[in-house]
Amino acid sequence: MINATAPLLDVRDLTVTINREGRLVTALDKVSFFVNPGEVLGIVGESGAGKSITGAAIIDLLVPPLKRTGGTITLAGERLDQLSPKAMRGVRGGRIGFVFQDPMTSLNPVITIGQQLCDTIQAHLKLGGNQTKKRAHDWLDRVGLPNPDVQFKRYPHQLSGGMRQRVVIALALCADPVLVIADEPTTALDVSVQAHILELLRDLHRESNVSMMLITHDLGVIAKMADRVAVLYAGRVAEIGPVGELFNAPRHPYTRGLIRATPMPSATGEMRLDQIPGAMPGLGAVPPGCAFNPRCFRAEGDCRATIPPLYRQESSAFSCFHPLERVPA
Amino acid sequence: MSASDFLVLNHVSKVYRRNQSLIERLKKSESGGTKAVSDVSLTVRHGETMGLVGESGCGKSTLARLVSGLMAPTSGEISFPPNASGNKSRLQMIFQDPYSSLNGRWTIEDIIAEPIRVHKLRTGSAAIRARVDELLVQVGLSAADAEKYPQEFSGGQRQRICIARALAGEPDFLVLDEPTSALDVSVQAQILNLLRDLQKNLHLTSLFITHNLSVVRIMADRIGVMYLGELVEEATSEELFRKPRHPYTRLLIDAAPDMDTSDRSLHPIAGELPNPAFPPSGCRFHTRCPFAQEICRNTSPPQKATESGGMFRCHFDLDLSDATVFPPAAQVRMA
Ligand SMILES: Nc1ncnc2c1ncn2[C@@H]1O[C@H](COP(=O)(O)OP(=O)(O)OP(=O)(O)O)[C@@H](O)[C@H]1O
Ligand SMILES: Nc1ncnc2c1ncn2[C@@H]1O[C@H](COP(=O)(O)OP(=O)(O)OP(=O)(O)O)[C@@H](O)[C@H]1O
Ligand code: SF4
Ligand code: SF4
Ligand SMILES: [Mg+2]
Ligand SMILES: [Mg+2]
């Protein structure tokens, strides 16, 4: 059951553990967020924060030693976390499409790209052979492959990296999903090609109004693409907010630290670069209390004792006992 | 050549020979290789940080290896003019990957002490150990870390160790090839700040290579922009960003998304990066350049000097100081 105000995807207290020789280590610790219909939710954080695991957990692609051990995942009213593995296979590539950083993880090197598209379409939509083929052609055209007729019969290795990622995007979208999870879709590409792929994702999003989870460590990509942003730190949600608010008036000290540590010219042209001391703790080395406390300039006694809860207000949330005032970053 | 010249590259080229097929050998064809660096002339002055930017495969690392003497150019000369004291300059390199560039079976002390021993900069183990401790503190680690092994450190800490090792050789020239590309932004900021302090305090001359324009803007006094093996523009950092002279520089600056959430426009560069092994004829950028004319397809553009001591390679003197170039709409087709 969907109505205008209900989120399309609702993730609550998602917890993932890693089994390290019998010792259970928490990789995702009660992660909660939602994605509204037609919305682009950016997921940002540094390497190891748990971004990819979050995406993989939603489509049930975690493999041992990783295991989902708690929380609920609801897509359009349906509990995905309770589905059988077989039913989940129907959701993957069907109602949820996905795009990974390395296009070759999604492509089969020995099957032509046309055939791969046809296979995906046939697996998820009840279409006849000719219609399937036509749809596959149309998608190659839509994602901007020159001469779709020729490309149809080509193999992944015959395409450039940027063109391969276009094919993966076609694969993710060709079965009319309601949600696309894109995990670092442009990270492996050069800047000049990256902007093409972002533009393509944006155009397709506007046409289809599909919801998107865009996972990246690149704040510039987030600033251009996301409606709302979730910031992850050490397997927990630090802050969630509308993109403009989050960039211009973050509440969580880590969010502001991350923004200010990114080398970028400011509006007036000068460059700034503020560092955060230390580094994100590795798995199993998360300090007690707030995970950010050893690096935080606002940390006090309570931060070292208790994990701050996620304080929610409308479309934003933050997990901090001593949040920043709403002043420009 | 002036007294302050530290490193001079004169028409330097490097061709990687590919195994030629029999037919190619019979035809004695000239296409048997990738010209990874093509006719690059560049001068780095004493105490200056020269930045090099460009997309993957444009020849940045090849140029770094040439300058470091790890391989010889196919043609052209690379020279370090002797300085006043007549000493030969000492060079150290820092690479992108702090994981593979440290030997996991050596302690941090062994790793940092090696260049000290090789260059006989200190004698006696007590003096060497004292120097190692000093270097560890200088890069933001502690003397106690000397007994540990590389695996015990995070990526950012390992890059600090690499920097300490490089400094241990008491170089007057540092070649840094993507030194922070493998690091997270919060850690990258620490390393960039550390390198900036070291540059200032130790009066190092350096070649700083990265694909990230914002990073090079922070680090470099002057910046060279490479495209498919060629140096297409060179200017002071300030001027390059304020008034780029080559269309590729302008488009590259605009292509990287900034953090302004009020202007969400994207600025892709038309077409794709051509295979560096088969660069386009004439101006190598002509397949993607919104200003390309007939002459660009056939004739390779000359190097032009700017009033302020910079250089660019384009047939035209374009005014590109406006924030964004909108190429003529009809030409924006996928290559
Ligand atoms: N298969 C696995 N086995 C053990 N640990 C894992 C596995 N996959 C991920 N991890 C660990 O889980 C943590 C979160 O990983 P994840 O891949 O989600 O990070 P990420 O935020 O996507 O980082 P990146 O930006 O590097 O992709 C990391 O510490 C990682 O080392
Ligand atoms: N040892 C080699 N043998 C043959 N070709 C090589 C070799 N090393 C590099 N090349 C080729 O030379 C060109 C320039 O490579 P180089 O590594 O210098 O580029 P780069 O600018 O450092 O790229 P990146 O940003 O990806 O590091 C590329 O086309 C590359 O494939
Ligand atoms: S809870 Fe405390 S330590 Fe954590 S971010 Fe907030 S102020 Fe800093
Ligand atoms: S020479 Fe021609 S193609 Fe090359 S950059 Fe200048 S205008 Fe563009
Ligand atoms: Mg990841
Ligand atoms: Mg390189």
Side-chain angles (χ1 to χ4, degrees):
Chain A
M1 207 179 59
I2 316 180
N3 59 49
T5 52
L8 174 82
L9 175 75
D10 197 357
V11 175
R12 292 207 187 161
D13 296 326
L14 179 61
T15 302
V16 171
T17 52
I18 299 180
N19 188 335
R20 280 201 178 152
E21 287 136 27
R23 198 168 63 96
L24 291 184
V25 183
T26 306
L28 278 192
D29 191 3
K30 299 207 177 82
V31 166
S32 298
F33 60 88
F34 60 84
V35 187
N36 284 321
E39 184 179 54
V40 179
L41 178 76
I43 308 247
V44 71
E46 296 180 279
S47 181
K51 306 182 295 295
S52 296
I53 289 184
T54 303
I58 292 170
I59 47 179
D60 197 26
L61 276 184
L62 294 177
V63 287
L66 298 169
K67 189 175 187 313
R68 192 178 67 226
T69 50
T72 62
I73 302 163
T74 313
L75 182 74
E78 183 180 19
R79 285 280 295 274
L80 295 186
D81 53 295
Q82 295 176 330
L83 290 183
S84 68
K86 183 163 176 284
M88 258 327 277
R89 270 199 297 278
V91 174
R92 275 198 301 270
R95 277 187 296 153
I96 302 182
F98 40 88
V99 179
F100 296 113
Q101 171 169 345
D102 177 4
M104 289 314 277
T105 46
S106 313
L107 296 172
N108 186 329
V110 297
I111 302 180
T112 63
I113 59 172
Q115 191 56 48
Q116 295 188 48
L117 274 167
C118 289
D119 291 349
T120 303
I121 294 167
Q122 231 145 22
H124 298 285
L125 304 177
K126 307 272 167 290
L127 291 179
N130 284 341
Q131 269 177 301
T132 301
K133 226 170 165 170
K134 174 160 187 322
R135 195 177 168 91
H137 272 276
D138 289 350
W139 268 103
L140 287 181
D141 193 32
R142 264 178 98 176
V143 296
L145 257 73
N147 308 321
D149 294 341
V150 180
Q151 307 291 349
F152 197 88
K153 301 191 194 74
R154 298 182 86 183
Y155 291 90
H157 68 89
Q158 294 174 303
L159 305 179
S160 70
M163 286 299 155
R164 271 182 219 153
Q165 200 58 302
R166 286 172 190 269
V167 174
V168 173
I169 290 170
L171 277 170
L173 284 153
C174 66
D176 281 335
V178 289
L179 175 73
V180 171
I181 300 177
D183 188 354
E184 310 268 7
T186 60
T187 304
L189 305 174
D190 278 304
V191 235
S192 68
V193 182
Q194 162 176 297
H196 282 293
I197 298 296
L198 293 178
E199 199 153 68
L200 172 66
L201 282 173
R202 174 183 287 176
D203 289 346
L204 293 172
H205 172 256
R206 280 189 186 145
E207 287 164 25
S208 63
N209 210 32
V210 63
S211 297
M212 251 170 69
M213 260 175 73
L214 179 62
I215 298 172
T216 173
H217 66 279
D218 187 331
L219 285 170
V221 169
I222 292 281
K224 300 299 155 197
M225 300 292 291
D227 299 316
R228 276 189 318 129
V229 188
V231 181
L232 293 192
Y233 186 81
R236 296 178 192 155
V237 173
E239 179 165 9
I240 303 180
V243 67
E245 246 171 61
L246 190 112
F247 275 86
N248 299 312
R251 303 303 306 274
H252 198 287
Y254 174 65
T255 308
R256 191 173 80 180
L258 195 63
I259 292 168
R260 292 188 173 182
T262 305
M264 280 288 169
S266 71
T268 49
E270 86 270 16
M271 300 293 297
R272 60 170 192 212
L273 188 63
D274 294 338
Q275 65 193 52
I276 311 175
M280 194 172 71
L283 282 181
V286 179
C290 172
F292 189 56
N293 84 68
R295 308 175 73 189
C296 183
F297 73 104
R298 288 172 83 95
E300 290 179 32
D302 48 354
C303 308
R304 287 180 274 273
T306 319
I307 299 177
L310 201 57
Y311 298 97
R312 280 169 238 257
Q313 315 163 310
E314 293 167 36
S315 54
S316 27
F318 58 84
S319 148
C320 175
F321 290 124
H322 312 286
L324 303 166
E325 303 302 322
R326 275 241 179 271
V327 292
Chain B
M1 204 184 287
S2 81
S4 67
D5 291 353
F6 182 89
L7 162 67
V8 180
L9 278 73
N10 194 12
H11 299 288
V12 170
S13 296
K14 174 70 191 180
V15 181
Y16 290 112
R17 293 266 164 236
R18 159 167 66 80
N19 289 334
Q20 286 184 318
S21 67
L22 184 62
I23 306 263
E24 277 173 323
R25 264 179 286 161
L26 289 175
K27 287 203 291 196
K28 292 207 176 69
S29 82
E30 272 302 296
S31 66
T34 303
K35 205 166 187 183
V37 166
S38 178
D39 197 23
V40 168
S41 296
L42 187 70
T43 301
V44 183
R45 301 191 191 94
H46 269 281
E48 173 179 78
T49 297
M50 169 63 80
L52 270 186
V53 270
E55 296 178 278
S56 71
C58 70
K60 304 182 294 296
S61 297
T62 302
L63 200 64
R65 288 196 288 270
L66 290 170
V67 164
S68 311
L70 296 176
M71 57 190 191
T74 311
S75 61
E77 302 93 51
I78 297 171
S79 59
F80 292 88
N83 58 18
S85 59
N87 290 335
K88 205 171 169 300
S89 67
R90 203 161 23 225
L91 176 149
Q92 292 283 340
M93 287 193 77
I94 295 172
F95 298 97
Q96 167 167 359
D97 188 359
Y99 292 88
S100 62
S101 54
L102 296 173
N103 185 335
R105 276 173 307 221
W106 287 18
T107 63
I108 302 309
E109 174 175 7
D110 297 336
I111 289 169
I112 298 176
E114 192 200 31
I116 303 176
R117 296 208 166 91
V118 169
H119 296 293
K120 301 192 174 60
L121 298 168
R122 295 285 190 285
T123 41
S125 51
I128 291 175
R129 177 58 203 258
R131 176 67 180 144
V132 168
D133 292 353
E134 184 181 275
L135 286 160
L136 281 169
V137 171
Q138 195 168 18
V139 299
L141 297 169
S142 76
D145 292 324
E147 272 104 62
K148 296 184 185 160
Y149 289 86
Q151 314 58 283
E152 298 173 57
F153 294 90
S154 70
Q157 289 170 325
R158 286 186 214 197
Q159 198 57 295
R160 287 176 195 268
I161 295 164
C162 292
I163 294 169
R165 177 180 59 184
L167 295 178
E170 293 176 20
D172 36 25
F173 186 44
L174 271 188
V175 176
L176 306 110
D177 190 355
E178 308 265 12
T180 60
S181 302
L183 305 176
D184 279 319
V185 282
S186 75
V187 177
Q188 164 173 283
Q190 297 165 10
I191 299 295
L192 294 179
N193 283 337
L194 169 65
L195 287 170
R196 270 208 300 205
D197 290 346
L198 294 171
Q199 279 170 350
K200 201 161 67 208
N201 300 335
L202 304 177
H203 308 289
L204 292 170
T205 307
S206 47
L207 186 65
F208 191 104
I209 293 172
T210 171
H211 64 277
N212 185 318
L213 272 166
S214 294
V215 167
V216 80
R217 185 174 184 180
I218 285 185
M219 299 303 295
D221 302 304
R222 287 194 300 142
I223 298 175
V225 180
M226 292 187 72
Y227 187 74
L228 300 179
E230 284 183 344
L231 191 66
V232 297
E233 176 159 10
E234 190 255 298
T236 64
S237 296
E238 189 274 329
E239 185 166 353
L240 191 90
F241 283 89
R242 184 174 45 79
K243 192 182 176 192
R245 308 296 294 266
H246 195 283
Y248 178 61
T249 310
R250 172 80 270 164
L251 293 168
L252 198 60
I253 293 171
D254 296 337
D258 62 19
M259 292 199 290
D260 181 358
T261 53
S262 59
D263 173 6
R264 307 241 281 176
S265 56
L266 294 164
H267 309 281
I269 303 180
E272 292 210 320
L273 202 57
N275 182 343
F278 305 97
S281 63
C283 173
R284 293 183 175 194
F285 191 52
H286 87 251
T287 53
R288 312 173 77 189
C289 181
F291 303 98
Q293 303 290 326
E294 196 50 41
I295 182 177
C296 308
R297 283 178 263 280
N298 312 316
T299 314
S300 121
Q303 285 205 19
K304 297 180 181 171
T306 64
E307 322 76 68
S308 48
M311 176 288 285
F312 66 101
R313 245 181 227 256
C314 175
H315 286 297
F316 308 108
D317 288 308
L318 299 161
D319 181 1
L320 300 168
S321 41
D322 271 343
T324 298
V325 179
F326 291 102
Q331 295 190 14
V332 195
R333 252 321 274 165
M334 301 275 323

